[in-house]
Structures are given as structure tokens and as C-alpha cells.
């Protein structure tokens, strides 16, 4: 854990989009404000603050112009961690990988003094932390994540019921075994969120090695299916998995989001590099 | 159809094991997955190809069939061609090698059983000739019925003789119709061979001899197997003094070894310690005791002759009263009637030494006679054959009156007595007198097969066919075909 946090010292979460909502902060907003970043001139209108008049420009043009500056906003970082039973699977375990990604992102958010909102989702959406700011909340975050254990099944539509997302970045960590992901990404984009998906999958899911006749049991729903696990079945499944990963990546990138395939046997630092690099 | 190795059918129990494995494999194994989300789609796609299920049953069927055929292979099934000709001649090898034991049964007994099986497949009206093949063949049944052979064959036994190929040929060529030989040997004979036993594994004592001068037993061991063998040979005398030697002999080769015989041994037993099928040629006894020696009376004073006679291990010099088998004397009278006599005469003096020459006979076997001269000779006697001559004058001759007789000079006037030819001549002469009786002294083993084959024993326009049909090779071929098929089905099913 310490090694991970040390490695993350060099990473920074920077939004690509302008922040629309939220209080005054350190990131470019969508409107005009009082930052030091010059935006441009406009003709003076009656009633405007006289302090904003550019007198040098008046001297040159004999017309009154006011100087405009960019707005600076506070960024909210939302982390949604899927803690449904399907995440407790694979060797190395998907849940362990997902927890570390969430902790790393939370640590970086708190370190750079942005607001951290932390949610878990399974059959219900649970708000774990709200509007926390500052490194001092990291211990609280670790304790809370430690107490979370995967349970229940996946119902991502609960995200749609939330209507007070502050403008910023939403990190979504899940295996995304759902058909409603498009709706969720659309919803978050409308909420002016920059969406970054961490798609956590184990090797057993990507390339299953089971042989013979099997009774597959869904760990979430307890539903079962009998299959003849032969070469043909294996190949079809792998093809489906490839298509599934491709579809999620396409859904995300087509909405200006970022997609990171996080296999449980991957190096976690590489996963952060892929997720945060260039932001 | 019958099986050469019926116990092999027990391996059929393994079929149950294959089924057990198959159904154990078929048992559904529960496997947890994170989500059935993708599996559902894969299952829908695969369900379109139902034939895979059938392929698995075909695969099981082929595998069971292969296993069943392997069981048959182990059991070695054979069948017999049915025979509908007018006459059939069966030669049964009765030589001692047929005493070889395999799976608790002698080859001879198995051979008899095979003949009975062949007769079962023979037409009722077929006349059957039975020849017992050994050194002197016998034909106990000529143009007999099946029943005659079946009844007769039950009571015959194997002999201690060799198989004489020449005699076998002579006996069988006189008969018409189909001919077959029931034997356990690979015979260089173009006939229908009904093979008994699988492979005769045998190591035997080929020859033994005793070297009187060095007091050594000379043994020739023969490896009749195709493979090289490491053989332990022991020699033990009556006092249980034992010596063991190890010798490595290449396949189908012979090797000589010698044992130093302890002094005063009366007899020694030479034995091959390795286990093989045929025990008959694994032991041989060398008798060294006086009472086994042939008695010879030397009635003249001749130091050279006396020494030469003493060097022959299987004779001993006795007094006239001890009823000797051979008399060596200078004069004969009526008391020598019906006795084997070697008359040694002083001879007539020649002017100069004359070179001795030999007439081909067993008497001069192995002799060189280089620079050998004589100063006297004897007179020729009618009815006798010359052995040694000097300028056409006889020195030694043989013939038969009331018994075997040899007449010769006393050799004192010849330099032959100082050469190695002399004891050889004496030994050859003694051997002729004893007429091979001394062989009992050594009890050497006999060869398994002797004689030469001049021709095949088939008659004109007769096909040489196998009476026995071995199915193993056909089954192996079928197994290979099934394995190819199995691979193809497996490939489709997987």
C-alpha cells in the first residue's frame, strides 16, 4: 500500500473539460471570472464595475473597454466502486484490484485538495464519503473501504436517480456486466462529468480454462447453466468477451470518456498511467 | 476360433474401467462464474450445433471398440482353415525340444491339441496320415480316419531324439495331398507349418569333452535365442565342489568355456543355471570313474603304445582275466574267438626307411604324417583294407573276421612314435573298435535339428498355405484404422 501511494505521488488528476458548476477553485470554469488568466476585451456597458475598465485601451481608442478574465472553479472527483458479488471473483481477485484503484484515486484527489465523493453500488447506491477535502480524510477513506465487502447484484440504474453531481470527473470501477452502461455514461456526461471507466476483469473471465461438462453458477444471481465446455464453446466465449470489451470501450470513448482495461494480473501503476496520463 | 492366451480376455475387465472414467468425466462439475452475462450469449450460439452431443457417444463407442480389440489382441485369437481334400498328412515333431514348457504345458501337448483342432475342421471322408518326426521317423497311421488319429494321438509321448530334417523330407514326400508339420521350431522347410508355442527360448550345452592332459572339462554352450544372453554355467563334482562361470553369448552363436576338474573326481555335472523353456539340454554329466571306462588288454611290451593308450580317458588297461573288450596282442589262438583283436606284428625289415602314406579312413582322421618313415612292414591279408602303407606294402590294415580286427607293425621301427600323429592314430583305432560306445561316457547333448533339406515337401501344383489363421495382425490393422477415426471424431467433438 505504501509503495503504491509513493508511486502515485507523481500522478495528478486534471480535468480536460471546463468545470461548470461548483465553488471557486483552481480549475478553469466555463464562464468568466476573476482569475489571472486574461480572456479578452468587450465594450463597457452602463452599470458595469468601473474597476474593470481598461484605461490603456481608452487612451489608444477613445472608447471604453472592460477586461474579462476566466472563471476558476472547484473540481469534484466522484468515485463509483462496484461492490456487487461479481467483483469478488478470480485469482488475483477483482475486488482487491478494484479497492486499490479506488484508494489510489481517492488519495490523489485528497492530496490535490479537490472534493472527493465516494459511492459504492450493487443493488443499491451508497454514499460513503461526500465533499471531503484534504489529506487528513485519507485514513477515513481507507477504513471505510476496508469495511466494504462485495454483496448483492448489479443495478447500475440507481445512478440515474442521483441529480446532484457536482461538475468534475467520475471514475467508475466495475466489471460492467450490465446492459445499461450506455444510459449511465449518457447520464454522467449530461451531468457534466468527465467519465473514466476502469474495467476490472480477471484472467479466468477473459480466457477461461474449464474443461468437460460444467454447471456454471452466477455468483450474484445464483442462476445456473449447463454447458459442454469444449474447444468450440471456449472460442465462442472468448470472441464474445472480446466484443464485450470493445463495446464498452466504444461506448466510453464515443462520449469523450476514457476507458482502461484493468486485468487483475496487470501492474496497477500501469493501470493508473493509462487512466490518468494526459488528463 | 480359439485363443492362444485365453487369460488375456481377463483384461476385458478394463472396459468397465473405461466406462467408469467416461461417466465420471461426464458428471457435471459446478463452476462459479462472476456473471452468466456473456455465457448466455455463447450458449445460444453453440446450441445451434446439436450433433456434438452425438459425436461424444460415437467417440465412446469407438474407444470401447478399440479397447475390446486390444483385449482380443492380448488373447491372441487364432482360427483353423477348414480342409476338404482327400488326403492330409500331418508330421508331428517328436524331438526332445518339444518338451519345452510354456505356460505350464509342454509344446508337445500343445502340438497334439493343435492336431485335434485341425482335424475338427477336416472333412469326415478325408484320409489322414500321421508321421512322428524324430531321428528315425515312424508312420503309425497311414490313410486313417480322423477318429483313428484322435484316439492314437492321446497316448503318444515325446522322445529324447533330434529332429532329422532329411528323414522328415523322405517320409513326407511319399504322400499326396496337403502336408503340414506341427513343430515349435523355425524350420527351413517350405511346408505348411503349424507353429507350437510362441518363441522357443533356449540355451543349451552343445558339446562337452574332457582333456585328459590338462584335466579340464571343455564345454560348448549354444545360445539358441536371437538376443544376446549372459549365461551362468556351473560345474559340480560328486563332492559338491562347485565352480561357476559367466559367459556372454551373442544371439544364435556358440561359445567355449573350460572348467578345471578337481583331481580324483569321479564325475562332474555341467549345468546351465539360467532359466529357459527346455531343461533337457541344460545339464550334462562327464563320467570320470574307472568303472565307466572301457577295458583294453595290452598283451605286448610296447612302451609307446602303452603311453598312447593311457592318454585315452575312456579306456583302461586291464589283465586278460578281467574280460576286456579289446585285445592287443602279437599272437592269436582259439581263445580269441569272437573278440575284438588288434594284432601287432614285428614285421619284415625293409632295406631302407620308406615314407609312410595313408589311405583315407576314420583311422587317419586329423593326422598329418609329414616326414614319417618306417623300416619294416607286414604282409597284406585278403579281405582287409589298408590304413597305412609304405611303398604299397601294408603297415596297418583293418578288416572283419568273426569280429573287428586290425593288424599292424609294432611301430618301434618308425619315427611316428615320436610325433603327435601316433596318439591320434591309436585313439582313432580305439574309437573304431569301440564303435561309438564311449559316447555314453560323456553323455553329450544332441542337436535339436539335424540333417539337411533337399527340397520342399509339397507335391506338384499344391499351394503352401497356413493352416492356422492368426487374427492378431488384422486386429492391429483395424485398431489403427479406428484410432484414425477416433482422432477425426475427437477433433470434430472438441
Amino acid at each position: 500500500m505504501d509503495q503504491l501511494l509513493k508511486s502515485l505521488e507523481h500522478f495528478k488528476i486534471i480535468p480536460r473539460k471546463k468545470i461548470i458548476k461548483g465553488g471557486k477553485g483552481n480549475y478553469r470554469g466555463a464562464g468568466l471570472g476573476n482569475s489571472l488568466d486574461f480572456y479578452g476585451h468587450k465594450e463597457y456597458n452602463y452599470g458595469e464595475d468601473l474597476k474593470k475598465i481598461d484605461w490603456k485601451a481608452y487612451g489608444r481608442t477613445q472608447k471604453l473597454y472592460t477586461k474579462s478574465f476566466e472563471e476558476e472553479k472547484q473540481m469534484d472527483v466522484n468515485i463509483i466502486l462496484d461492490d456487487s458479488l461479481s467483483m469478488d471473483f478470480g485469482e488475483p481477485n477483482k475486488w482487491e484490484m478494484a479497492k486499490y484503484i479506488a484508494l489510489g484515486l481517492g488519495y490523489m484527489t485528497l492530496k490535490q485538495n479537490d472534493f472527493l465523493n465516494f459511492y459504492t453500488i450493487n443493488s443499491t447506491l451508497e454514499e460513503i464519503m461526500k465533499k471531503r477535502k484534504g489529506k487528513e480524510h485519507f485514513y477515513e477513506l481507507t477504513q471505510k473501504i476496508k469495511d466494504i465487502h462485495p454483496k448483492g447484484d448489479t443495478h447500475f440504474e440507481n445512478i440515474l436517480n442521483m441529480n446532484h453531481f457536482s461538475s468534475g470527473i467520475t471514475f467508475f470501477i466495475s466489471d460492467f456486466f450490465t446492459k445499461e452502461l450506455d444510459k449511465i455514461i449518457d447520464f454522467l456526461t449530461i451531468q457534466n462529468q468527465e467519465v473514466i471507466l476502469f474495467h476490472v476483469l480477471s484472467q479466468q473471465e477473459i480466457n477461461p480454462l474449464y474443461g468437460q461438462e460444467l454447471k456454471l453458477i452466477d455468483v450474484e444471481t445464483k442462476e445456473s447453466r449447463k454447458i459442454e465446455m469444449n474447444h468450440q464453446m471456449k472460442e465462442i466465449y472468448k470472441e464474445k468477451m472480446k466484443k464485450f470489451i470493445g463495446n464498452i470501450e466504444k461506448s466510453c470513448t464515443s462520449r469523450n470518456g476514457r476507458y482502461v482495461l484493468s486485468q487483475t494480473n496487470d501492474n496497477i501503476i500501469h493501470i493508473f498511467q493509462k487512466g490518468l496520463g494526459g488528463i | 476360433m480359439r485363443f492362444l492366451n485365453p487369460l488375456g480376455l481377463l483384461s476385458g475387465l478394463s472396459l468397465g474401467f473405461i466406462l467408469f472414467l467416461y461417466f465420471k468425466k461426464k458428471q457435471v462439475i459446478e463452476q462459479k462464474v462472476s456473471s452468466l452475462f456473456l455465457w448466455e450469449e455463447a450458449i445460444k450460439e453453440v446450441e445451434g450445433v446439436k450433433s456434438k452431443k452425438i459425436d461424444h457417444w460415437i467417440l465412446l463407442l469407438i474407444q470401447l471398440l478399440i479397447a475390446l480389440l486390444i483385449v482380443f489382441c492380448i488373447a491372441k485369437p487364432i482360427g483353423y482353415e477348414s480342409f476338404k481334400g482327400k488326403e492330409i498328412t500331418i508330421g508331428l515333431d517328436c524331438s526332445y525340444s518339444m518338451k519345452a514348457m510354456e505356460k505350464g504345458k509342454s509344446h508337445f501337448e500343445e502340438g497334439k491339441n493343435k492336431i485335434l483342432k485341425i482335424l475338427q475342421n477336416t472333412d469326415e471322408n478325408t484320409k489322414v496320415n500321421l508321421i512322428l518326426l524324430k531321428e528315425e521317423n515312424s508312420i503309425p497311421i497311414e490313410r486313417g480316419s480322423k477318429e483313428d488319429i484322435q484316439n492314437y494321438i492321446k497316448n503318444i509321448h515325446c522322445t529324447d531324439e533330434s529332429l532329422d530334417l532329411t528323414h522328415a523330407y523322405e517320409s513326407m514326400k511319399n504322400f499326396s495331398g496337403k502336408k503340414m508339420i506341427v513343430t515349435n521350431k523355425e524350420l527351413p522347410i517350405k511346408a505348411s507349418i503349424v507353429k507350437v508355442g510362441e518363441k522357443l527360448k533356449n540355451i543349451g550345452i552343445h558339446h562337452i569333452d574332457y582333456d585328459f592332459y590338462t584335466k579340464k572339462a571343455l564345454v560348448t554352450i549354444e545360445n539358441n535365442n536371437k538376443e544376446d544372453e549372459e549365461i551362468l554355467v556351473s560345474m559340480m563334482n560328486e563332492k559338491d565342489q562347485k565352480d561357476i562361470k559367466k559367459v556372454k553369448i551373442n544371439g544364435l552363436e556358440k561359445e567355449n568355456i573350460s572348467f578345471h576338474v578337481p583331481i580324483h573326481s569321479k564325475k562332474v555335472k555341467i549345468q546351465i543355471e539360467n532359466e529357459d523353456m527346455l531343461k533337457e539340454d541344460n545339464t550334462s554329466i562327464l563320467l570320470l570313474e574307472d568303472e565307466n571306462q572301457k577295458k583294453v588288454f595290452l598283451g605286448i611290451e610296447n612302451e609307446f603304445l602303452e603311453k598312447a593308450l593311457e592318454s585315452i580317458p575312456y579306456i583302461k588297461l586291464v589283465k586278460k582275466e578281467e574280460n576286456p573288450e579289446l585285445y592287443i596282442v602279437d599272437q592269436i589262438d582259439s581263445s580269441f574267438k569272437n573278440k575284438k583283436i588288434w594284432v601287432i606284428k614285428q614285421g619284415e625289415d625293409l632295406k631302407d626307411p620308406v615314407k609312410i602314406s595313408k589311405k583315407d579312413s576314420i583311422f587317419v582322421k586329423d593326422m598329418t604324417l609329414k616326414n614319417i618313415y618306417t623300416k619294416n612292414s607286414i604282409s597284406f591279408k585278403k579281405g582287409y583294407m589298408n590304413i597305412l602303407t609304405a611303398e604299397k606294402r601294408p603297415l596297418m590294415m583293418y578288416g572283419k573276421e568273426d569280429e573287428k580286427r586290425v593288424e599292424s607293425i609294432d611301430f618301434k621301427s618308425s619315427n611316428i612314435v615320436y610325433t603327435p600323429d601316433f596318439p591320434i592314430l591309436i585313439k582313432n583305432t580305439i574309437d573304431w573298435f569301440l564303435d561309438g560306445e564311449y559316447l555314453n561316457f560323456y553323455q553329450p547333448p544332441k542337436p535339436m535339428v539335424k540333417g539337411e533339406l533337399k527340397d520342399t515337401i509339397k507335391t506338384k501344383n499344391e499351394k503352401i498355405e497356413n493352416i492356422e489363421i492368426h487374427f492378431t495382425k488384422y486386429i492391429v490393422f483395424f485398431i489403427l484404422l479406428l484410432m484414425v477415426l477416433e482422432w477425426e471424431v475427437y477433433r470434430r467433438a472438441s
Side-chain angles (χ1 to χ4, degrees), chain A residues 86 89 177 179 205 210 212-219 223 225 227 231 236-237 240-241 244, chain B residues 25-26 28-43 45-46 53 493-494:
Chain A
S86 69
F89 185 80
F177 287 127
K179 287 176 181 168
E205 287 167 324
Y210 322 123
Q212 327 305 329
E213 194 166 321
L214 296 172
K215 186 180 178 183
L216 300 180
I217 301 168
D218 191 316
V219 289
E223 280 180 68
R225 290 284 183 281
I227 63 156
H231 180 69
I236 290 173
Y237 173 82
K240 295 278 172 200
M241 175 55 85
F244 169 67
Chain B
K25 190 179 147 190
K26 272 298 214 188
V28 181
I29 299 162
E30 290 191 352
Q31 177 69 50
K32 285 184 178 177
V33 288
S34 54
S35 172
L36 284 175
F37 182 69
L38 291 175
W39 287 109
E40 298 271 17
E41 289 181 23
I43 290 163
E45 198 164 309
V46 173
K53 205 80 180 167
S494 60

Side-chain angles (χ1 to χ4, degrees), chain B residues 244-255:
Chain B
I244 296 183
K245 287 190 174 176
K246 190 196 275 184
V247 59
K248 191 175 180 182
I249 308 179
N250 296 335
L252 304 173
E253 283 187 12
K254 297 185 188 92
E255 193 73 50

